[in-house]
Amino acid sequence: MKKYLTDYFSQENITLTLWIVIVLSIGAKNQSFETVNFIKIINQLRYLFIPIILPILLIYFTKKKIIKINNSIVYKNFFVIFASLQLILSLIGFFNFKFFNENLYFYSLLSENPYKPNFLYALYYPLSFFIVSIFFFLYIKKEFIDKIIVATIIITLIITIYSLYLVYSDYLKFEHIIFYYSNTLNFSDTLGNPNIRVTSLARMLCILLIFSSLFYLTNKKKTITVLGLILIYFILVNLYLLQSRTSLYFGIVVVCFILFKRFNPVIAIIIGLMFFSSLKPISINVYLIKEKFRDSNVMIVDRFKSIEENQKDKDTKIKKMKDNVFFNLRQNNKINDEMDYEKKLRSISTGRSHIWKKIYSASITKSNNFIFGYGPMSDRFLTNQNASSGWMYMLITTGILGLLSFLFLYFEILFNFFRYIVKNKFRENKINTSVIIIIFLLFRTIVENSFLVFGYDFCIFILSYFILQNFKFANQNRK
């Protein structure tokens, strides 16, 4: 019994368990306890786990010498420095907002926006960002990384399958011309937690696609080859249906990478052409299947119209669906309510440029705002929306100082990429996977806040960055 407990409470198992709880804590909100129930208590513990419970556990386990600090990496790690800077700059930005923009701060408190600026809210996200960074690089060793990857994939897979179930259920049961925006309409939360947005679901599918390459390219069995192609195609079709452009375009690149790494060029091109040429027909057939499903449930046919009128309505909807698939754009674009259907369809913006203009205008009002920003989540206070860009988020929250620190991190990552490509020439699949994930998340920072705010992107990024850093230090040790 004693040996079993000793084995279970090893550093590997403890850090793995803590990592799983960290990932499961993503998206937790501070609960109001007007009514108390078990779900609220669990969600409150999730909310408190990273900033309070995790540091207490780490201090306790370290003092008892159950786990040991990994000193060799953390002091050389630029991401830990970056996380420390973000914590300091975020707090400076918040105090700049509160004491040097008093009227704007007061207005933010009175606005209808559910997000209100306060010190604890400002502290929560950068503190979580910092604590998880310290935990990962202080306590996790490279020998533990395989189990952590598997655990992360399993959690991602469960959430993705459940979210896809919601999307398909909603799409089949309710009136939607478009497939990819439906899950936010009728299934708002699960167990007191908001369901993920369509862009987040597409991101998870893309991450699963990249992780699948790790196993697909290392296993040469024929059964795995066939099943892997089916899985890759299934993910690709759903990415196309969801129409989140960053994930879709990057997913196509990843599929090409997998095919050309696994097969000879001729077979890779043939399979690729089969996959990509069938995406539009498959997407349209999904809509036609939905129409048949709903016809049978008497949910779409207007009984007070003639057969010809119903058919005409149906043909119009199918044409709109084909247009949406062809143009790869959202009909729910709200940047200008006066735009007619055709103009909305052909617009290349989803409103981000309008948000970025607001953020830039707020940043240049005073020199201190430009230098220090307004603190964490101030994009929501000042524009009523998230910044929809990691670069703009850094500017509005931590000012030009935070933006420059991110730029340094960006170039440090590019330098490590160059080092890896020169020395390893894409031979190591695990590092290939981490490199592709980091590139994907860096691209996402153009149109999403991504890993610059504590969340799923951040956890995937720090895992991939750790793998890349260990390659760097392994090469240094060989010298």
Side-chain angles (χ1 to χ4, degrees):
M1 183 68 177
K2 186 176 180 181
K3 185 179 183 303
Y4 172 78
L5 289 173
T6 306
D7 291 342
Y8 181 78
F9 286 100
S10 64
Q11 182 157 342
E12 182 177 17
N13 288 333
I14 289 172
T15 52
L16 176 63
T17 304
L18 292 175
W19 174 251
I20 290 170
V21 179
I22 287 169
V23 175
L24 293 176
S25 297
I26 294 170
K29 304 293 182 186
N30 196 17
Q31 303 293 303
S32 62
F33 284 98
E34 296 168 0
T35 58
V36 180
N37 57 51
F38 179 73
I39 297 299
K40 279 193 172 185
I41 293 170
I42 294 297
N43 287 333
Q44 187 65 27
L45 289 173
R46 288 173 59 232
Y47 178 77
L48 297 174
F49 179 76
I50 295 170
I52 297 175
I53 300 171
L54 179 60
I56 291 171
L57 289 175
L58 290 177
I59 292 168
Y60 174 78
F61 287 138
T62 305
K63 288 191 74 172
K64 292 292 183 179
K65 297 183 179 179
I66 299 172
I67 58 177
K68 295 179 181 178
I69 292 174
N70 182 14
N71 291 308
S72 59
I73 291 178
V74 70
Y75 302 118
K76 304 174 186 177
N77 193 297
F78 192 86
F79 193 81
V80 173
I81 299 170
F82 174 73
S84 305
L85 279 173
Q86 292 318 297
L87 178 59
I88 296 167
L89 292 173
S90 294
L91 293 177
I92 292 172
F94 172 77
F95 290 125
N96 172 60
F97 185 26
K98 184 171 183 178
F99 297 113
F100 296 96
N101 295 271
E102 292 181 12
N103 291 338
L104 188 57
Y105 184 85
F106 181 71
Y107 172 77
S108 298
L109 291 173
L110 297 178
S111 72
E112 296 179 358
N113 190 333
Y115 299 96
K116 308 295 183 186
N118 64 69
F119 179 73
L120 290 179
Y121 185 73
L123 184 63
Y124 181 84
Y125 289 96
L127 185 61
S128 298
F129 193 98
F130 173 74
I131 289 171
V132 175
S133 301
I134 291 294
F135 159 73
F136 211 97
F137 292 104
L138 270 183
Y139 291 100
I140 291 181
K141 298 179 180 179
K142 62 183 180 181
E143 294 83 10
F144 307 164
I145 210 69
D146 286 343
K147 286 186 178 180
I148 287 176
I149 290 173
V150 171
T152 307
I153 291 173
I154 290 170
I155 293 170
T156 303
L157 191 60
I158 292 169
I159 294 171
T160 303
I161 291 170
Y162 175 71
S163 300
L164 279 175
Y165 163 76
L166 292 183
V167 171
Y168 277 97
S169 298
D170 188 43
Y171 182 68
L172 291 171
K173 290 178 183 177
F174 297 95
E175 177 65 35
H176 299 299
I177 293 174
I178 49 178
F179 175 86
Y180 44 82
Y181 195 61
S182 57
N183 74 320
T184 59
L185 298 179
N186 300 301
F187 301 98
S188 58
D189 64 77
T190 299
L191 299 177
N193 298 282
N195 292 318
I196 61 175
R197 297 179 302 151
V198 165
T199 52
S200 301
L201 175 56
R203 165 208 60 192
M204 284 186 157
L205 282 167
C206 199
I207 292 294
L208 285 173
L209 181 63
I210 298 168
F211 272 130
S212 70
S213 69
L214 174 60
F215 301 101
Y216 190 60
L217 296 176
T218 53
N219 195 316
K220 301 296 183 181
K221 292 181 180 178
K222 290 183 179 179
T223 308
I224 297 297
T225 300
V226 175
L227 292 176
L229 285 175
I230 293 170
L231 175 64
I232 290 166
Y233 187 65
F234 174 78
I235 293 174
L236 189 60
V237 167
N238 280 281
L239 282 173
Y240 193 76
L241 285 167
L242 292 170
Q243 297 280 286
S244 177
R245 288 178 242 181
T246 308
S247 298
L248 172 61
Y249 298 155
F250 202 85
I252 290 171
V253 173
V254 172
V255 170
C256 291
F257 171 79
I258 293 172
L259 293 179
F260 280 93
K261 283 282 284 183
R262 181 69 187 244
F263 304 101
N264 68 58
V266 175
I267 294 175
I269 290 170
I270 292 171
I271 296 173
L273 288 174
M274 289 171 60
F275 277 9
F276 302 136
S277 63
S278 64
L279 287 177
K280 184 181 175 182
I282 285 286
S283 301
I284 293 168
N285 279 319
V286 168
Y287 181 74
L288 296 175
I289 290 168
K290 171 214 176 150
E291 291 297 302
K292 290 179 182 178
F293 175 86
R294 296 188 62 207
D295 278 345
S296 65
N297 286 277
V298 198
M299 294 179 73
I300 192 169
V301 176
D302 189 336
R303 297 289 183 183
F304 297 100
K305 289 184 179 180
S306 66
I307 295 173
E308 291 78 13
E309 287 174 321
N310 273 307
Q311 186 60 44
K312 186 178 178 181
D313 289 346
K314 188 172 181 178
D315 291 342
T316 302
K317 288 176 182 178
I318 291 172
K319 180 185 179 301
K320 285 188 175 185
M321 176 63 183
K322 289 181 179 179
D323 286 344
N324 274 284
V325 170
F326 179 74
F327 286 106
N328 186 28
L329 294 171
R330 292 183 175 165
Q331 191 193 359
N332 65 301
N333 189 335
K334 299 296 183 185
I335 57 171
N336 187 345
D337 291 329
E338 294 179 0
M339 291 170 68
D340 62 24
Y341 170 75
E342 291 296 327
K343 285 182 180 178
K344 281 184 179 181
L345 192 61
R346 285 161 177 77
S347 167
I348 60 170
S349 171
T350 51
R352 285 184 173 87
S353 59
H354 183 61
I355 298 169
W356 297 342
K357 286 175 185 175
K358 281 186 177 181
I359 288 174
Y360 178 73
S361 298
S363 297
I364 60 173
T365 51
K366 298 178 184 177
S367 59
N368 54 299
N369 295 337
F370 182 70
I371 295 170
F372 301 115
Y374 294 86
M377 300 297 165
S378 51
D379 52 339
R380 297 178 183 272
F381 311 145
L382 300 174
T383 68
N384 293 328
Q385 301 176 73
N386 76 56
S388 293
S389 166
W391 297 86
M392 299 307 291
Y393 179 79
M394 294 301 294
L395 179 63
I396 195 68
T397 58
T398 55
I400 193 66
L401 294 177
L403 191 60
L404 286 173
S405 70
F406 176 52
L407 194 62
F408 283 126
L409 175 66
Y410 199 92
F411 282 116
E412 193 259 353
I413 291 169
L414 291 180
F415 178 73
N416 283 339
F417 283 172
F418 178 75
R419 180 199 298 266
Y420 169 65
I421 292 167
V422 169
K423 294 194 174 184
N424 206 53
K425 296 182 175 61
F426 290 102
R427 287 190 294 264
E428 174 57 52
N429 286 321
K430 190 185 296 181
I431 304 174
N432 289 346
T433 301
S434 68
V435 167
I436 295 170
I437 287 174
I438 291 172
I439 293 172
F440 171 56
L441 294 177
L442 288 175
F443 270 107
R444 267 179 64 82
T445 60
I446 299 172
V447 292
E448 298 287 349
N449 294 354
S450 192
F451 66 88
L452 295 171
V453 179
F454 174 75
Y456 178 81
D457 278 24
F458 167 77
C459 289
I460 295 298
F461 179 87
I462 202 170
L463 172 59
S464 303
Y465 186 87
F466 179 89
I467 295 169
L468 188 63
Q469 283 291 99
N470 270 280
F471 167 79
K472 170 184 170 182
F473 291 118
N475 277 283
Q476 287 178 354
N477 292 334
R478 286 190 195 109
K479 294 177 183 177

